[in-house]
Amino acid sequence: MYELELHKIMQAELLRRADRQRLIGAARRARRSARRSSRQEAERPVSTGGGVRQRFTHAA
């Protein structure tokens, strides 16, 4: 009987650990995707009206 109770306690502890690890992984993925999306937004072109050709002349 004692061994069965120990088994149930250990099983419950392992389930809690697994849930905590899943939660940590989900938080890491959310932070990573937020960083990626903010980097993409920060790297947008400043002006979209014409590009490089209108700003510079051709070299001789």
Side-chain angles (χ1 to χ4, degrees):
M1 188 70 171
Y2 178 73
E3 291 150 357
L4 179 63
E5 291 175 14
L6 274 179
H7 174 72
K8 287 181 180 181
I9 290 170
M10 289 301 293
Q11 182 182 15
E13 177 63 24
L14 288 174
L15 287 173
R16 280 192 294 272
R17 285 184 186 181
D19 287 339
R20 187 170 53 230
Q21 288 298 321
R22 277 192 290 272
L23 183 63
I24 290 170
R28 284 180 181 161
R29 283 189 297 275
R31 276 186 278 154
R32 192 177 304 133
S33 70
R35 279 196 309 259
R36 286 179 181 162
S37 68
S38 69
R39 267 191 238 137
Q40 289 174 355
E41 290 173 2
E43 293 179 2
R44 289 184 182 163
V46 176
S47 63
T48 58
V52 177
R53 288 189 177 213
Q54 290 183 354
R55 286 186 278 167
F56 300 107
T57 61
H58 289 284

